[in-house]
């Protein structure tokens, strides 16, 4: 009777008097808070096409201290489901006697995770995560970038906009059983906040078109690499930015860092003759040349102890002829007429030596030496694109000053309605005059006849640049460049193409890069439903009778 009285008293003490204390102790052992992953924001093109999306997946981890009691055949069954080598789990268990956490598999499909859950193994736990998927694959890989296995941006816009894309994780309270498995959700403590989506200025249709044509050009010319930028001439929005070689962001095994460098925005090169239109425009605006002036070239020009040469002796050239034939001699004469500070000021206003400001991580600034250190020959070589370095994006941006009647636009990778940072560099009259001169470059006796655009008037300039090496310029190693716009009378788009080290026999910008410009520009204008303005170069479609 005494023993029974003690037991009853103890039962009352446990279930009535100290009930809350015991409940709290039980909760400490079986109720816990766990994090809830936040959905990473999408990256979309200007028309809403997804370029980066997150899908829910499961990760499996274990407590090695608890797994030791699990049967060997059950462990092997799990390894087969997860496609793991035999003995991998035991290896993790024995790796550290005091460890209580180890990942077994990351980011597996929910179907496989459910199969592993059905085994009900002690010490095996599941964690919901998100895996990044890139529908555009290689086409937009350099631009969008990628995340690591923890969903943290590592390259491209994924890295540059990490803070706004990643969101804020939440938390929830759960009940676990004796084996620490979650058996019930109690309550949401804090809802996760999804990351903000990015709406890019990129048009994925034009991006794909540019990627395809650039890839074909690299293969045809056996080039080392290439970059291409398509810019909206009126707003400065980047509609496409592609590179070769590319990579698949959905499968990055054995990926070299050099493959995911965005050359169109981060790599620089000397632009060569593509800067000559700016020299002509600056000389006209400053009154250092007259619109009807002619230049005697003779094929060479002595500057101090140096000699500036043309490919041929072009004889007497007017301003249009200077650009049409791409005369180094004539533009050198113009450059030496302009005060160094004025000449430098024009290049500086056009954005050379200053990052374009697109917001892309690692964007190149290029280089432009201060005019106070210039010698006469420096001024001459700068007039035909040596001694200054630029990215494809910077060069495309500079061409907006010619395309939009003297207005230089800022650039953007995000969609926007207007450019609030535009500034005037040339007079409208001068920009229109130089644009008309550049139309002749694509005529039959110009340097870029292969760059003409079916159905549209176009204007542009070639550049063929020797590559600099450790001991000076390297023979038979070139950048082939073309920069142009269309329609020429009222440009809508600007396209810059740079092909690095073509080695199939041809290396001139008018032969290697101009055809890429032609195909990309023609396709992009049709995608944007820009009406053709030149009927005489429209392709003729022949059909068989009855078809």
């Amino acid at each position: 009777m005494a023993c029974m009285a003690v037991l009853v008293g103890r039962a009352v003490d446990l279930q009535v008097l100290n009930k809350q204390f015991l409940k709290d102790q039980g909760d400490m052992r079986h109720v816990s808070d766990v994090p809830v992953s936040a959905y990473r924001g999408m990256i979309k093109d200007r028309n809403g096409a997804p370029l980066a999306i997150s899908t829910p997946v499961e990760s499996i981890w274990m407590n090695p201290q608890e797994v030791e009691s699990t049967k060997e055949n059950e462990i092997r069954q799990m390894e087969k489901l997860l496609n793991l080598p035999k003995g991998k789990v035991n290896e993790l268990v024995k790796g550290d006697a005091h460890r209580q956490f180890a990942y077994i598999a990351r980011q597996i499909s929910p179907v496989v995770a459910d199969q592993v859950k059905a085994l009900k193994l002690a010490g095996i736990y599941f964690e919901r995560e998100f895996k990044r998927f890139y529908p555009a694959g290689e086409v937009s890989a350099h631009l969008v970038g990628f995340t690591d296995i923890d969903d943290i941006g590592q390259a491209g816009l994924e890295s540059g906009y990490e803070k706004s894309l990643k969101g804020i994780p939440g938390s929830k309270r759960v009940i676990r059983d004796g084996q620490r498995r979650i058996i019930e959700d109690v309550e949401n403590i804090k809802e996760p906040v999804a990351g903000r989506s990015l709406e890019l200025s990129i048009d994925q249709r034009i991006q794909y078109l540019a990627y395809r044509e650039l890839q074909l050009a690299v293969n045809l010319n056996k080039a080392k690499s290439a970059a291409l930028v398509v810019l909206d001439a009126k707003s400065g929005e980047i509609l496409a930015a592609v590179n070769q070689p590319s990579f698949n962001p959905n499968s990055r095994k054995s990926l070299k860092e050099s493959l995911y460098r965005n050359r169109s925005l981060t790599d620089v090169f000397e632009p060569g003759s593509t800067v000559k239109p700016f020299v002509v425009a600056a000389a006209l605006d400053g009154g250092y040349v007259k619109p009807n002036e002619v230049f005697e070239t003779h094929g060479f020009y002595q500057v101090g102890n140096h000699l500036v040469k043309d490919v041929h002796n072009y004889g007497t050239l007017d301003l249009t002829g200077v650009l049409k034939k791409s005369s180094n001699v004539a533009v050198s004469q113009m450059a030496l007429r302009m005060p160094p500070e004025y000449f430098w000021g024009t290049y500086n206003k056009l954005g050379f030596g200053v990052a374009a400001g697109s917001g892309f991580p690692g964007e190149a600034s290029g280089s432009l030496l201060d005019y106070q250190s210039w010698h006469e020959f420096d001024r001459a070589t700068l007039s035909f694109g040596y001694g200054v370095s630029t990215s494809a994006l910077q060069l495309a941006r500079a061409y907006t000053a010619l395309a939009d009647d003297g207005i230089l636009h800022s650039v953007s990778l995000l969609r926007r309605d207007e450019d609030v940072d535009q500034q005037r560099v040339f007079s409208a009259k001068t920009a229109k005059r130089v644009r008309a001169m550049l139309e002749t470059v694509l005529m039959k006796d110009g340097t870029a006849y292969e760059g003409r655009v079916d159905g549209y008037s176009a204007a542009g300039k070639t550049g063929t640049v020797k590559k600099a090496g450790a001991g000076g310029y390297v023979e038979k190693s070139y950048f082939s460049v073309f920069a142009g716009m269309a329609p020429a009378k009222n440009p809508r788009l600007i396209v810059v193409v740079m092909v690095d080290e073509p080695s199939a026999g041809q290396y001139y910008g008018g032969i290697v890069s101009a055809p890429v410009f032609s195909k990309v520009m023609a396709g992009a204008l049709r995608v944007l439903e820009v009406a053709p303005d030149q009927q005489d170069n429209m392709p003729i479609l022949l059909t068989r009778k009855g078809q």
Side-chain angles (χ1 to χ4, degrees):
M1 292 294 289
C3 289
M4 185 174 290
V6 170
L7 288 173
V8 170
R10 183 57 175 161
V12 171
D13 179 55
L14 292 175
Q15 298 181 45
V16 179
L17 300 178
N18 288 316
K19 177 182 177 181
Q20 189 59 44
F21 170 76
L22 295 171
K23 182 179 182 301
D24 292 342
Q25 290 297 310
D27 287 349
M28 286 175 60
R29 290 162 174 76
H30 297 282
V31 178
S32 61
D33 296 343
V34 295
V36 179
S37 300
Y39 182 83
R40 190 174 179 86
M42 287 179 63
I43 299 179
K44 301 179 285 187
D45 86 336
R46 66 187 302 109
N47 300 309
L51 302 179
I53 57 177
S54 293
T55 56
V57 290
E58 295 263 10
S59 287
I60 302 177
W61 62 277
M62 68 175 182
N63 183 337
Q65 309 295 320
E66 300 171 6
V67 170
E68 289 179 335
S69 62
T70 304
K71 294 178 181 178
E72 185 67 30
N73 62 332
E74 292 175 333
I75 291 289
R76 184 56 195 144
Q77 195 174 349
M78 178 177 68
E79 288 175 339
K80 286 181 179 179
L81 286 171
L82 298 174
N83 201 23
L84 296 174
K86 185 178 180 180
K88 180 66 176 178
V89 173
N90 283 333
E91 208 176 287
L92 292 170
V93 170
K94 296 172 182 176
D96 187 347
H98 304 291
R99 185 167 51 172
Q100 295 186 347
F101 178 91
Y103 275 117
I104 297 175
R106 299 290 303 273
Q107 298 186 348
I108 62 173
S109 73
V111 174
V112 175
D114 288 341
Q115 291 174 334
V116 176
K117 285 177 185 177
L119 298 175
K120 298 182 179 179
L121 302 179
I124 303 298
Y125 304 103
F126 300 84
E127 179 182 345
R128 186 182 184 230
E129 293 184 315
F130 289 99
K131 183 178 181 180
R132 209 63 162 159
F133 177 64
Y134 302 94
E138 295 183 3
V139 176
S140 298
H142 293 102
L143 196 61
V144 177
F146 53 85
T147 61
D148 62 11
I149 198 165
D150 293 314
D151 217 21
I152 299 172
Q154 298 297 299
L157 295 174
E158 289 275 34
S159 173
Y161 288 87
E162 170 65 21
K163 286 185 179 179
S164 60
L165 284 168
K166 70 177 182 179
I168 303 171
S171 61
K172 65 179 179 179
R173 187 157 291 149
V174 299
I175 296 177
R176 301 179 185 272
D177 63 11
Q179 294 182 329
R180 302 295 295 162
R181 294 177 298 197
I182 296 174
I183 58 175
E184 185 182 349
D185 290 349
V186 177
E187 62 176 328
N188 286 325
I189 299 172
K190 181 183 176 184
E191 289 289 342
V193 179
R196 292 174 55 192
S197 292
L198 280 183
E199 186 178 11
L200 304 186
S201 59
I202 298 298
D203 189 316
Q204 188 59 19
R205 300 168 299 176
I206 299 175
Q207 179 84 0
Y208 172 76
L209 172 67
Y211 175 87
R212 182 189 67 192
E213 295 301 335
L214 194 66
Q215 186 179 52
L216 289 171
V218 167
N219 293 337
L220 178 66
N221 294 285
K222 298 179 182 177
K224 180 180 178 181
S225 63
L228 185 152
V229 171
V230 180
L231 212 59
D232 188 308
K234 304 299 183 185
S235 70
E237 290 176 297
I238 302 170
L239 299 180
V242 297
N243 304 271
Q244 285 294 328
S246 190
F247 67 97
N248 184 356
N250 296 303
S251 177
R252 301 189 299 276
K253 291 181 180 178
S254 304
L255 179 64
K256 296 178 182 177
E257 186 177 347
S258 60
L259 283 178
Y260 58 79
R261 193 172 71 243
N262 192 339
R263 291 175 170 83
S264 61
L265 277 66
T266 65
D267 283 16
V268 296
F269 55 92
E270 289 179 305
S273 297
T274 57
V275 300
K276 288 176 181 174
F278 306 130
V279 178
V280 173
L284 281 169
D285 259 0
Y288 298 103
V289 299
K290 296 184 176 69
N292 59 351
E293 191 167 349
V294 295
F295 292 83
E296 298 297 333
T297 62
H298 305 299
F300 66 90
Y301 181 52
Q302 188 80 31
V303 181
N305 296 323
H306 302 277
L307 205 63
V308 175
K309 297 179 181 179
D310 281 337
V311 177
H312 304 288
N313 181 357
Y314 297 119
T316 303
L317 294 173
D318 60 9
L319 290 181
T320 298
V322 169
L323 293 179
K324 185 177 184 179
K325 296 298 183 183
S326 196
S327 171
N328 295 339
V329 170
V331 292
S332 294
Q333 292 176 31
M334 292 183 213
L336 292 174
R337 291 186 190 181
M338 294 186 281
E341 186 174 359
Y342 174 78
F343 186 13
W344 178 90
T346 300
Y347 273 16
N348 179 252
K349 286 178 184 176
L350 289 166
F352 294 119
V354 182
S358 69
F360 191 86
E363 180 184 77
S365 298
S367 64
L368 175 63
L369 290 176
D370 188 86
Y371 64 89
Q372 294 179 348
S373 63
W374 288 359
H375 298 290
E376 274 199 331
F377 189 62
D378 294 326
R379 291 158 62 190
T381 56
L382 280 165
S383 71
F384 50 88
Y386 285 90
V388 57
S389 66
T390 179
S391 68
L393 175 62
Q394 286 177 295
L395 185 58
R397 183 195 176 206
Y399 264 74
T400 63
L402 298 175
D404 200 14
D405 296 344
I407 299 294
L408 178 77
H409 287 280
S410 65
V411 295
S412 176
L413 275 168
L414 302 182
R415 187 173 182 179
R416 66 186 183 190
D417 295 325
E418 61 178 330
D419 177 15
V420 296
D421 296 317
Q422 62 187 30
Q423 56 181 309
R424 179 165 292 283
V425 176
F426 303 121
S427 68
K429 185 177 181 181
T430 293
K432 290 176 181 177
R433 182 172 281 156
V434 172
R435 212 161 60 224
M437 296 176 192
L438 291 177
E439 286 189 69
T440 66
V441 174
L442 280 73
M443 292 180 178
K444 204 155 195 177
D445 53 347
T447 58
Y449 184 60
E450 297 298 323
R452 64 196 185 282
V453 181
D454 290 340
Y456 299 91
S457 60
K461 186 70 191 72
T462 56
T464 306
V465 193
K466 280 187 177 180
K467 291 186 68 174
Y473 289 98
V474 182
E475 289 297 324
K476 297 181 181 179
S477 183
Y478 298 90
F479 289 115
S480 301
V481 189
F482 188 86
M485 63 200 82
K489 301 295 186 291
N490 183 24
R492 174 67 193 279
L493 297 177
I494 294 166
V495 175
V496 168
V497 184
M498 185 280 291
V499 179
D500 183 6
E501 289 191 29
S503 59
Q506 297 288 354
Y507 56 84
Y508 288 111
I511 298 174
V512 174
S513 295
V516 183
F517 163 84
S518 169
K519 293 172 184 174
V520 173
M521 181 63 83
L525 289 173
R526 285 175 171 79
V527 164
L528 298 177
E529 298 181 351
V530 177
D533 70 333
Q534 194 160 305
Q535 303 299 322
D536 58 356
N537 68 349
M538 287 283 284
I540 299 173
L541 301 178
L542 300 177
T543 60
R544 294 180 181 179
K545 188 176 181 180
Q547 291 186 336

